[in-house]
Short mmCIF file of all heavy atoms in Angstrom, two decimals:
data_model
loop_
_atom_site.label_atom_id
_atom_site.label_comp_id
_atom_site.label_asym_id
_atom_site.label_seq_id
_atom_site.Cartn_x
_atom_site.Cartn_y
_atom_site.Cartn_z
N ARG A 58 -5.26 -13.76 -14.83
CA ARG A 58 -6.58 -13.48 -15.39
C ARG A 58 -7.38 -12.64 -14.41
O ARG A 58 -7.01 -12.53 -13.25
CB ARG A 58 -7.30 -14.77 -15.78
CG ARG A 58 -7.58 -15.74 -14.69
CD ARG A 58 -8.20 -17.03 -15.21
NE ARG A 58 -9.33 -16.77 -16.08
CZ ARG A 58 -10.41 -17.56 -16.14
NH1 ARG A 58 -10.48 -18.65 -15.42
NH2 ARG A 58 -11.40 -17.28 -16.95
N TRP A 59 -8.43 -12.06 -14.88
CA TRP A 59 -9.29 -11.26 -14.00
C TRP A 59 -10.09 -12.18 -13.09
O TRP A 59 -10.34 -13.34 -13.43
CB TRP A 59 -10.23 -10.40 -14.83
CG TRP A 59 -9.54 -9.24 -15.48
CD1 TRP A 59 -8.81 -9.26 -16.63
CD2 TRP A 59 -9.49 -7.90 -14.99
NE1 TRP A 59 -8.31 -8.01 -16.89
CE2 TRP A 59 -8.72 -7.16 -15.91
CE3 TRP A 59 -10.04 -7.25 -13.88
CZ2 TRP A 59 -8.48 -5.80 -15.74
CZ3 TRP A 59 -9.80 -5.90 -13.71
CH2 TRP A 59 -9.03 -5.19 -14.62
N LEU A 60 -10.47 -11.62 -11.95
CA LEU A 60 -11.28 -12.38 -11.00
C LEU A 60 -12.30 -11.44 -10.37
O LEU A 60 -11.95 -10.33 -9.94
CB LEU A 60 -10.38 -12.97 -9.90
CG LEU A 60 -11.09 -13.66 -8.74
CD1 LEU A 60 -11.80 -14.94 -9.20
CD2 LEU A 60 -10.11 -14.01 -7.62
N VAL A 61 -13.55 -11.85 -10.35
CA VAL A 61 -14.57 -11.12 -9.59
C VAL A 61 -14.90 -11.98 -8.37
O VAL A 61 -15.35 -13.12 -8.50
CB VAL A 61 -15.83 -10.83 -10.43
CG1 VAL A 61 -16.94 -10.27 -9.56
CG2 VAL A 61 -15.50 -9.83 -11.55
N LEU A 62 -14.60 -11.42 -7.20
CA LEU A 62 -14.84 -12.10 -5.92
C LEU A 62 -16.05 -11.47 -5.26
O LEU A 62 -16.06 -10.26 -5.01
CB LEU A 62 -13.60 -11.97 -5.02
CG LEU A 62 -13.72 -12.46 -3.59
CD1 LEU A 62 -13.93 -13.97 -3.52
CD2 LEU A 62 -12.45 -12.09 -2.80
N ALA A 83 -24.78 -15.77 -16.30
CA ALA A 83 -23.85 -14.85 -16.98
C ALA A 83 -22.42 -15.40 -17.01
O ALA A 83 -21.50 -14.72 -17.50
CB ALA A 83 -23.86 -13.49 -16.28
N ALA A 84 -22.22 -16.62 -16.50
CA ALA A 84 -20.85 -17.14 -16.34
C ALA A 84 -20.06 -17.10 -17.66
O ALA A 84 -18.86 -16.77 -17.68
CB ALA A 84 -20.89 -18.56 -15.79
N GLU A 85 -20.73 -17.40 -18.76
CA GLU A 85 -20.03 -17.39 -20.05
C GLU A 85 -19.57 -16.00 -20.45
O GLU A 85 -18.54 -15.83 -21.10
CB GLU A 85 -20.94 -17.95 -21.15
CG GLU A 85 -20.83 -19.44 -21.30
CD GLU A 85 -21.68 -19.98 -22.44
OE1 GLU A 85 -21.97 -19.22 -23.38
OE2 GLU A 85 -22.04 -21.16 -22.35
N GLU A 86 -20.36 -14.99 -20.05
CA GLU A 86 -19.98 -13.60 -20.35
C GLU A 86 -18.67 -13.24 -19.63
O GLU A 86 -17.81 -12.56 -20.18
CB GLU A 86 -21.08 -12.63 -19.90
CG GLU A 86 -22.34 -12.71 -20.71
CD GLU A 86 -22.11 -12.20 -22.13
OE1 GLU A 86 -21.44 -11.17 -22.28
OE2 GLU A 86 -22.58 -12.85 -23.08
N PHE A 87 -18.56 -13.69 -18.38
CA PHE A 87 -17.32 -13.43 -17.64
C PHE A 87 -16.17 -14.21 -18.28
O PHE A 87 -15.06 -13.69 -18.44
CB PHE A 87 -17.50 -13.82 -16.16
CG PHE A 87 -18.37 -12.86 -15.40
CD1 PHE A 87 -19.73 -13.07 -15.27
CD2 PHE A 87 -17.83 -11.72 -14.81
CE1 PHE A 87 -20.54 -12.18 -14.56
CE2 PHE A 87 -18.61 -10.82 -14.11
CZ PHE A 87 -19.98 -11.05 -13.99
N GLU A 88 -16.46 -15.45 -18.62
CA GLU A 88 -15.43 -16.31 -19.22
C GLU A 88 -14.90 -15.68 -20.51
O GLU A 88 -13.69 -15.67 -20.76
CB GLU A 88 -16.04 -17.69 -19.50
CG GLU A 88 -15.06 -18.79 -19.80
CD GLU A 88 -14.04 -19.00 -18.68
OE1 GLU A 88 -14.41 -18.99 -17.49
OE2 GLU A 88 -12.86 -19.15 -19.04
N ARG A 89 -15.80 -15.12 -21.31
CA ARG A 89 -15.41 -14.49 -22.57
C ARG A 89 -14.44 -13.33 -22.35
O ARG A 89 -13.67 -12.96 -23.21
CB ARG A 89 -16.66 -13.98 -23.29
CG ARG A 89 -16.54 -13.97 -24.78
CD ARG A 89 -17.85 -13.60 -25.45
NE ARG A 89 -18.93 -14.52 -25.14
CZ ARG A 89 -20.22 -14.20 -25.11
NH1 ARG A 89 -20.59 -12.96 -25.34
NH2 ARG A 89 -21.13 -15.10 -24.86
N ARG A 90 -14.52 -12.75 -21.16
CA ARG A 90 -13.63 -11.63 -20.81
C ARG A 90 -12.41 -12.12 -20.02
O ARG A 90 -11.74 -11.32 -19.36
CB ARG A 90 -14.41 -10.60 -20.02
CG ARG A 90 -15.44 -9.87 -20.87
CD ARG A 90 -16.58 -9.29 -20.06
NE ARG A 90 -17.47 -8.50 -20.88
CZ ARG A 90 -18.49 -8.99 -21.62
NH1 ARG A 90 -18.72 -10.29 -21.64
NH2 ARG A 90 -19.25 -8.19 -22.33
N ASP A 91 -12.17 -13.40 -20.05
CA ASP A 91 -11.07 -14.03 -19.31
C ASP A 91 -11.14 -13.69 -17.82
O ASP A 91 -10.13 -13.35 -17.20
CB ASP A 91 -9.71 -13.63 -19.90
CG ASP A 91 -8.61 -14.58 -19.44
OD1 ASP A 91 -8.94 -15.71 -19.05
OD2 ASP A 91 -7.43 -14.17 -19.44
N CYS A 92 -12.34 -13.75 -17.30
CA CYS A 92 -12.56 -13.40 -15.90
C CYS A 92 -13.20 -14.56 -15.16
O CYS A 92 -14.25 -15.06 -15.58
CB CYS A 92 -13.45 -12.16 -15.82
SG CYS A 92 -13.81 -11.67 -14.12
N ALA A 93 -12.56 -14.98 -14.08
CA ALA A 93 -13.12 -16.05 -13.25
C ALA A 93 -14.06 -15.44 -12.21
O ALA A 93 -13.96 -14.26 -11.88
CB ALA A 93 -11.99 -16.80 -12.56
N LEU A 94 -14.96 -16.26 -11.72
CA LEU A 94 -15.86 -15.86 -10.63
C LEU A 94 -15.54 -16.68 -9.40
O LEU A 94 -15.20 -17.86 -9.51
CB LEU A 94 -17.31 -16.11 -11.03
CG LEU A 94 -17.93 -15.22 -12.10
CD1 LEU A 94 -19.26 -15.80 -12.55
CD2 LEU A 94 -18.10 -13.80 -11.59
N THR A 152 -18.27 -6.86 -3.60
CA THR A 152 -17.77 -7.33 -4.90
C THR A 152 -16.39 -6.72 -5.12
O THR A 152 -16.23 -5.51 -4.99
CB THR A 152 -18.71 -6.88 -6.04
OG1 THR A 152 -20.05 -7.25 -5.72
CG2 THR A 152 -18.30 -7.51 -7.37
N PHE A 153 -15.42 -7.55 -5.42
CA PHE A 153 -14.06 -7.08 -5.69
C PHE A 153 -13.67 -7.48 -7.11
O PHE A 153 -13.78 -8.65 -7.49
CB PHE A 153 -13.07 -7.71 -4.70
CG PHE A 153 -13.27 -7.25 -3.28
CD1 PHE A 153 -14.15 -7.92 -2.44
CD2 PHE A 153 -12.62 -6.13 -2.80
CE1 PHE A 153 -14.37 -7.48 -1.14
CE2 PHE A 153 -12.83 -5.68 -1.50
CZ PHE A 153 -13.71 -6.36 -0.67
N PHE A 154 -13.22 -6.50 -7.86
CA PHE A 154 -12.70 -6.74 -9.21
C PHE A 154 -11.19 -6.78 -9.09
O PHE A 154 -10.56 -5.77 -8.77
CB PHE A 154 -13.13 -5.62 -10.17
CG PHE A 154 -14.61 -5.55 -10.36
CD1 PHE A 154 -15.41 -4.89 -9.44
CD2 PHE A 154 -15.21 -6.14 -11.46
CE1 PHE A 154 -16.79 -4.83 -9.60
CE2 PHE A 154 -16.59 -6.08 -11.64
CZ PHE A 154 -17.37 -5.42 -10.71
N ILE A 155 -10.61 -7.95 -9.32
CA ILE A 155 -9.17 -8.16 -9.10
C ILE A 155 -8.52 -8.41 -10.45
O ILE A 155 -8.96 -9.28 -11.22
CB ILE A 155 -8.95 -9.35 -8.13
CG1 ILE A 155 -9.66 -9.05 -6.80
CG2 ILE A 155 -7.47 -9.61 -7.92
CD1 ILE A 155 -9.72 -10.22 -5.84
N ASP A 156 -7.48 -7.63 -10.75
CA ASP A 156 -6.88 -7.71 -12.09
C ASP A 156 -5.86 -8.86 -12.18
O ASP A 156 -5.57 -9.53 -11.17
CB ASP A 156 -6.33 -6.34 -12.52
CG ASP A 156 -5.02 -5.99 -11.82
OD1 ASP A 156 -4.39 -6.86 -11.19
OD2 ASP A 156 -4.61 -4.81 -11.94
N PRO A 157 -5.31 -9.11 -13.36
CA PRO A 157 -4.40 -10.27 -13.52
C PRO A 157 -3.14 -10.18 -12.67
O PRO A 157 -2.47 -11.19 -12.45
CB PRO A 157 -4.06 -10.24 -15.02
CG PRO A 157 -5.24 -9.58 -15.66
CD PRO A 157 -5.68 -8.53 -14.68
N ARG A 162 -9.08 -3.50 -8.31
CA ARG A 162 -9.25 -2.36 -9.23
C ARG A 162 -10.58 -1.64 -9.05
O ARG A 162 -10.73 -0.48 -9.46
CB ARG A 162 -9.12 -2.89 -10.66
CG ARG A 162 -7.74 -3.49 -10.96
CD ARG A 162 -6.70 -2.39 -11.03
NE ARG A 162 -7.09 -1.47 -12.07
CZ ARG A 162 -6.94 -1.66 -13.37
NH1 ARG A 162 -6.31 -2.75 -13.79
NH2 ARG A 162 -7.36 -0.78 -14.25
N ALA A 163 -11.55 -2.32 -8.48
CA ALA A 163 -12.84 -1.69 -8.17
C ALA A 163 -13.52 -2.56 -7.13
O ALA A 163 -13.20 -3.75 -7.00
CB ALA A 163 -13.72 -1.59 -9.43
N SER A 174 -26.41 -5.99 -9.71
CA SER A 174 -26.69 -6.13 -11.14
C SER A 174 -25.52 -6.84 -11.81
O SER A 174 -24.39 -6.33 -11.82
CB SER A 174 -26.88 -4.74 -11.75
OG SER A 174 -26.69 -4.80 -13.15
N THR A 175 -25.80 -7.99 -12.36
CA THR A 175 -24.75 -8.72 -13.09
C THR A 175 -24.30 -7.90 -14.31
O THR A 175 -23.12 -7.90 -14.65
CB THR A 175 -25.31 -10.07 -13.55
OG1 THR A 175 -25.98 -10.67 -12.47
CG2 THR A 175 -24.21 -10.99 -14.01
N GLN A 176 -25.27 -7.23 -14.92
CA GLN A 176 -24.93 -6.39 -16.09
C GLN A 176 -23.94 -5.31 -15.71
O GLN A 176 -23.01 -5.01 -16.46
CB GLN A 176 -26.19 -5.72 -16.64
CG GLN A 176 -26.98 -6.60 -17.57
CD GLN A 176 -28.15 -5.84 -18.17
OE1 GLN A 176 -28.67 -4.91 -17.57
NE2 GLN A 176 -28.55 -6.26 -19.34
N GLU A 177 -24.14 -4.71 -14.53
CA GLU A 177 -23.21 -3.65 -14.11
C GLU A 177 -21.84 -4.24 -13.78
O GLU A 177 -20.81 -3.60 -14.02
CB GLU A 177 -23.80 -2.88 -12.92
CG GLU A 177 -22.88 -1.83 -12.30
CD GLU A 177 -22.35 -0.76 -13.28
OE1 GLU A 177 -22.85 -0.64 -14.41
OE2 GLU A 177 -21.39 -0.06 -12.89
N MET A 178 -21.82 -5.46 -13.24
CA MET A 178 -20.51 -6.10 -12.99
C MET A 178 -19.76 -6.27 -14.31
O MET A 178 -18.56 -5.99 -14.41
CB MET A 178 -20.71 -7.49 -12.37
CG MET A 178 -21.10 -7.47 -10.92
SD MET A 178 -21.11 -9.20 -10.35
CE MET A 178 -22.16 -9.03 -8.92
N ILE A 179 -20.47 -6.74 -15.33
CA ILE A 179 -19.83 -6.97 -16.62
C ILE A 179 -19.41 -5.64 -17.25
O ILE A 179 -18.32 -5.52 -17.82
CB ILE A 179 -20.77 -7.78 -17.55
CG1 ILE A 179 -20.93 -9.19 -16.98
CG2 ILE A 179 -20.24 -7.83 -18.98
CD1 ILE A 179 -22.00 -10.02 -17.65
N ARG A 180 -20.26 -4.63 -17.10
CA ARG A 180 -19.92 -3.31 -17.65
C ARG A 180 -18.67 -2.75 -16.96
O ARG A 180 -17.77 -2.20 -17.60
CB ARG A 180 -21.10 -2.34 -17.46
CG ARG A 180 -21.00 -1.07 -18.27
CD ARG A 180 -21.91 0.01 -17.72
NE ARG A 180 -21.40 0.55 -16.46
CZ ARG A 180 -20.60 1.60 -16.39
NH1 ARG A 180 -20.24 2.25 -17.47
NH2 ARG A 180 -20.16 2.02 -15.20
N THR A 181 -18.60 -2.92 -15.64
CA THR A 181 -17.42 -2.44 -14.91
C THR A 181 -16.17 -3.17 -15.40
O THR A 181 -15.11 -2.56 -15.62
CB THR A 181 -17.61 -2.66 -13.39
OG1 THR A 181 -18.79 -1.99 -12.99
CG2 THR A 181 -16.43 -2.14 -12.60
N LEU A 182 -16.31 -4.48 -15.57
CA LEU A 182 -15.18 -5.27 -16.06
C LEU A 182 -14.76 -4.81 -17.46
O LEU A 182 -13.57 -4.61 -17.73
CB LEU A 182 -15.61 -6.74 -16.08
CG LEU A 182 -14.59 -7.79 -16.41
CD1 LEU A 182 -13.42 -7.77 -15.44
CD2 LEU A 182 -15.26 -9.17 -16.41
N ASP A 183 -15.73 -4.59 -18.32
CA ASP A 183 -15.43 -4.09 -19.67
C ASP A 183 -14.71 -2.74 -19.60
O ASP A 183 -13.74 -2.49 -20.33
CB ASP A 183 -16.73 -3.91 -20.48
CG ASP A 183 -17.24 -5.23 -21.03
OD1 ASP A 183 -16.43 -6.16 -21.23
OD2 ASP A 183 -18.46 -5.34 -21.25
N ALA A 184 -15.19 -1.87 -18.71
CA ALA A 184 -14.58 -0.53 -18.60
C ALA A 184 -13.14 -0.64 -18.08
O ALA A 184 -12.23 0.01 -18.60
CB ALA A 184 -15.43 0.35 -17.69
N LEU A 185 -12.93 -1.49 -17.09
CA LEU A 185 -11.57 -1.65 -16.54
C LEU A 185 -10.64 -2.20 -17.62
O LEU A 185 -9.49 -1.76 -17.76
CB LEU A 185 -11.60 -2.60 -15.34
CG LEU A 185 -12.25 -2.04 -14.06
CD1 LEU A 185 -12.51 -3.16 -13.05
CD2 LEU A 185 -11.36 -0.97 -13.44
N GLN A 186 -11.13 -3.16 -18.37
CA GLN A 186 -10.28 -3.75 -19.42
C GLN A 186 -10.03 -2.73 -20.53
O GLN A 186 -8.93 -2.67 -21.09
CB GLN A 186 -10.92 -5.03 -19.96
CG GLN A 186 -10.93 -6.14 -18.90
CD GLN A 186 -11.51 -7.46 -19.40
OE1 GLN A 186 -12.15 -7.52 -20.45
NE2 GLN A 186 -11.29 -8.52 -18.64
N ALA A 187 -11.03 -1.90 -20.84
CA ALA A 187 -10.86 -0.90 -21.90
C ALA A 187 -9.86 0.18 -21.48
O ALA A 187 -8.99 0.56 -22.27
CB ALA A 187 -12.20 -0.26 -22.25
N VAL A 188 -9.96 0.66 -20.25
CA VAL A 188 -9.02 1.72 -19.84
C VAL A 188 -7.61 1.16 -19.70
O VAL A 188 -6.63 1.89 -19.84
CB VAL A 188 -9.47 2.44 -18.54
CG1 VAL A 188 -10.81 3.14 -18.74
CG2 VAL A 188 -9.50 1.51 -17.35
N ASP A 189 -7.50 -0.13 -19.43
CA ASP A 189 -6.16 -0.74 -19.35
C ASP A 189 -5.45 -0.74 -20.69
O ASP A 189 -4.23 -0.90 -20.76
CB ASP A 189 -6.25 -2.17 -18.82
CG ASP A 189 -6.22 -2.20 -17.30
OD1 ASP A 189 -6.24 -1.11 -16.70
OD2 ASP A 189 -6.18 -3.30 -16.72
N GLU A 190 -6.23 -0.62 -21.76
CA GLU A 190 -5.57 -0.55 -23.07
C GLU A 190 -4.90 0.80 -23.26
O GLU A 190 -4.17 1.02 -24.23
CB GLU A 190 -6.59 -0.82 -24.19
CG GLU A 190 -6.92 -2.31 -24.25
CD GLU A 190 -8.09 -2.62 -25.16
OE1 GLU A 190 -8.43 -1.76 -26.00
OE2 GLU A 190 -8.65 -3.71 -25.02
N ALA A 195 -13.20 5.91 -18.98
CA ALA A 195 -14.58 5.50 -19.27
C ALA A 195 -15.55 6.49 -18.62
O ALA A 195 -15.56 6.64 -17.40
CB ALA A 195 -14.82 4.09 -18.73
N TRP A 199 -20.75 4.38 -19.69
CA TRP A 199 -20.01 3.89 -20.86
C TRP A 199 -20.34 2.42 -21.11
O TRP A 199 -20.51 1.62 -20.18
CB TRP A 199 -18.51 4.03 -20.61
CG TRP A 199 -17.68 3.52 -21.74
CD1 TRP A 199 -17.29 4.20 -22.86
CD2 TRP A 199 -17.12 2.19 -21.87
NE1 TRP A 199 -16.55 3.39 -23.68
CE2 TRP A 199 -16.43 2.15 -23.11
CE3 TRP A 199 -17.17 1.04 -21.08
CZ2 TRP A 199 -15.77 1.00 -23.54
CZ3 TRP A 199 -16.52 -0.10 -21.52
CH2 TRP A 199 -15.83 -0.12 -22.75
N GLU A 200 -20.43 2.10 -22.38
CA GLU A 200 -20.65 0.70 -22.79
C GLU A 200 -19.62 0.38 -23.87
O GLU A 200 -19.18 1.27 -24.60
CB GLU A 200 -22.06 0.53 -23.39
CG GLU A 200 -23.20 0.69 -22.40
CD GLU A 200 -23.39 -0.50 -21.47
OE1 GLU A 200 -22.76 -1.55 -21.70
OE2 GLU A 200 -24.14 -0.37 -20.49
N PRO A 201 -19.24 -0.90 -24.00
CA PRO A 201 -18.27 -1.28 -25.03
C PRO A 201 -18.73 -0.80 -26.40
O PRO A 201 -19.92 -0.85 -26.73
CB PRO A 201 -18.28 -2.81 -24.97
CG PRO A 201 -18.74 -3.14 -23.62
CD PRO A 201 -19.68 -2.05 -23.19
#
Side-chain angles (χ1 to χ4, degrees):
R58 61 184 310 214
W59 286 81
L60 174 67
V61 172
L62 172 65
E85 271 183 25
E86 291 291 318
F87 287 93
E88 194 58 43
R89 209 174 300 152
R90 290 156 174 84
D91 197 22
C92 178
L94 289 169
T152 308
F153 293 89
F154 296 82
I155 302 171
D156 76 12
R162 298 289 302 282
S174 160
T175 313
Q176 276 185 333
E177 175 56 13
M178 285 186 201
I179 293 170
R180 194 198 73 91
T181 303
L182 186 60
D183 281 334
L185 289 167
Q186 292 182 346
V188 299
D189 273 5
E190 285 170 18
W199 178 87
E200 292 285 349

